[in-house]
Amino acid sequence: MSYEINEKRFLKELEAEMAIDSVTGQYHELQDYLLKEIEGLGFKTWTLHKGGIMVEAGGEGNPLLVTAHGDTIGLMVRHINSDGTIKVYKVGGLYAFHTERENVRIHTRSDKVITGCVQRKNASVHVTEDELRKEVPDFDTNSFVVLDEDVNSAEDVRALGIEVGDYVALEPRFTVANGYIKSHFIDDKALVAVLMELLHDIKDGKVKLGRKVYIYISFYEEIGHGGSTVPEDVKDYLAVDIACIGPEQTSSEKKVTIFCQDSRFPYNIDMRNELEDAAAKAGADYVRDSFTPHYGTDADPALVAGFDIRHGAIGPGTRASHGYERTHIDALSNTYKVLAQYVAK
């Protein structure tokens, strides 16, 4: 049986998620939104004390946990400079060269949102020596946030309610053209939207579960401990996350990737073979790929935490990971086909 993603519904869901800032640890708004949507479909849910959503999707026997993460990389206020600019530091693997000239939203303690832009000290071509313009952007030395406010001192900034520790989120710049999806944070909101599609199809009876399935949306993947909580009856753990495109990678923006290895471990060979069989049965266009030296999924910390589980991972080929990312609806559709076939087998 071939399982097809509802493209219109999927893109609407993805755009809604992209509009909600959720830098790692800043989970409340997105969690509340997703809980409302999932409980509206009739599924039993509970939340983790640290933040995260667990869903009982149904089915019986041989429990499988499927996870995607709702947290994103971002920034946090590090220091308020005397001239009213703001020094920031990264949350997760966000590098300054991926933020230059990006618009941002600062979330204050009082829930006020103040906008700004990431700039370099030596940003103007006409008044900057060539050597300075060629400097690599760096949050410690030459990259900071300029507010869209009339501020000229640290006191002016603090009067707006901004303080050290406030989250700074990049605007996603979500857009779709000819099936290509471009945005910050395709990693991993695109796969959260895929899981929402699966829940819709389970509810509507289009996907009939062949085993007990939990859906887990974590909010700490980008700093390494999102996947460390697992229901005690789970036997298998499947992460759905982006597959990074690079010079020596087989991943493609139009295909689903079955992960063989990441920077931590090889994925379970038996589970990997089952996923490949599911891809073939579903008619999905897929490749196998390995990701080193800087990649991991939420399935990895579950093993480190000591759970006796098999782990696997699949996901859409995605360009420019942790930057302004791009994938194609075909890759997400192929990912959905494998996922639906695997939970239904």
Side-chain angles (χ1 to χ4, degrees):
M1 180 176 180
S2 179
Y3 298 94
E4 300 295 336
I5 199 168
N6 183 323
E7 183 175 330
K8 182 177 180 180
R9 184 174 62 195
F10 169 81
L11 290 173
K12 181 180 179 181
E13 172 66 28
L14 179 55
E15 186 171 14
E17 292 177 20
M18 288 294 189
I20 302 172
D21 294 334
S22 57
V23 180
T24 300
Q26 182 197 16
Y27 63 87
H28 294 89
E29 187 178 357
L30 183 57
Q31 177 171 284
D32 289 347
Y33 164 79
L34 292 170
L35 274 175
K36 183 178 179 181
E37 295 292 307
I38 295 167
E39 291 174 349
L41 293 173
F43 292 99
K44 179 183 176 181
T45 67
W46 68 93
T47 57
L48 276 63
H49 187 59
K50 70 177 181 180
I53 302 171
M54 198 73 71
V55 184
E56 287 190 1
E60 295 182 0
N62 194 26
L64 166 71
L65 179 70
V66 182
T67 186
H69 64 92
D71 64 314
T72 73
I73 54 177
L75 301 166
M76 187 175 282
V77 175
R78 172 69 180 86
H79 177 72
I80 301 173
N81 298 321
S82 60
D83 62 355
T85 60
I86 296 174
K87 185 175 183 178
V88 293
Y89 61 93
K90 64 182 182 179
V91 178
L94 179 61
Y95 294 92
F97 61 83
H98 278 315
T99 70
E100 192 172 11
R101 298 179 297 278
E102 293 285 355
N103 291 320
V104 298
R105 296 186 281 253
I106 301 177
H107 294 259
T108 70
R109 177 70 176 80
S110 64
D111 293 329
K112 185 178 180 181
V113 178
I114 298 169
T115 63
C117 180
V118 179
Q119 290 281 2
R120 273 200 287 167
K121 181 179 180 180
N122 301 302
S124 299
V125 171
H126 297 88
V127 293
T128 305
E129 297 294 337
D130 288 345
E131 302 78 47
L132 294 177
R133 284 195 293 110
K134 293 175 182 176
E135 287 181 342
V136 176
D138 182 84
F139 294 129
D140 287 331
T141 58
N142 61 16
S143 294
F144 48 79
V145 170
V146 179
L147 297 179
D148 301 328
E149 303 282 345
D150 294 328
V151 292
N152 297 290
S153 67
E155 290 74 19
D156 290 342
V157 174
R158 286 193 164 92
L160 297 172
I162 295 173
E163 192 47 86
V164 171
D166 287 342
Y167 278 106
V168 182
L170 273 65
E171 289 188 3
R173 292 197 287 126
F174 174 81
T175 186
V176 182
N178 297 323
Y180 285 98
I181 301 167
K182 298 181 292 184
S183 185
H184 289 292
F185 318 133
I186 289 172
D187 175 14
D188 195 30
K189 289 183 176 180
L191 284 308
V192 174
V194 165
L195 295 190
M196 293 298 293
E197 275 296 297
L198 180 65
L199 289 171
H200 274 285
D201 283 351
I202 293 170
K203 174 186 178 292
D204 294 341
K206 295 178 181 178
V207 174
K208 300 184 186 301
L209 298 177
R211 61 193 302 186
K212 184 176 181 180
V213 174
Y214 295 98
I215 300 293
Y216 172 38
I217 299 169
S218 75
F219 289 103
Y220 293 92
E221 192 273 350
E222 294 294 358
I223 59 172
H225 65 81
S228 58
T229 300
V230 182
E232 61 183 26
D233 61 338
V234 165
K235 301 298 184 184
D236 295 331
Y237 193 124
L238 178 63
V240 284
D241 210 329
I242 63 165
C244 307
I245 291 173
E248 296 183 356
Q249 306 302 133
T250 58
S251 295
S252 161
E253 286 175 286
K254 291 195 173 185
K255 299 180 182 181
V256 57
T257 297
I258 297 171
F259 292 35
C260 300
Q261 180 176 341
D262 63 24
S263 60
R264 295 168 179 166
F265 325 111
Y267 285 87
N268 181 272
I269 185 65
D270 296 321
M271 193 167 174
R272 194 180 88 190
N273 290 340
E274 291 171 6
L275 289 165
E276 196 165 350
D277 290 344
K281 187 172 183 179
D285 196 358
Y286 76 95
V287 295
R288 298 193 306 191
D289 208 350
S290 294
F291 303 98
T292 57
H294 302 297
Y295 191 88
T297 71
D298 258 337
D300 295 331
L303 291 178
V304 174
F307 290 97
D308 180 18
I309 54 175
R310 303 187 309 169
H311 79 312
I314 60 172
T318 304
R319 189 178 298 276
S321 61
H322 282 205
Y324 189 59
E325 298 165 339
R326 191 181 86 157
T327 190
H328 193 277
I329 189 65
D330 287 356
L332 290 156
S333 178
N334 283 311
T335 300
Y336 184 75
K337 288 177 181 179
V338 177
L339 175 61
Q341 183 66 54
Y342 191 71
V343 299
K345 79 179 183 68

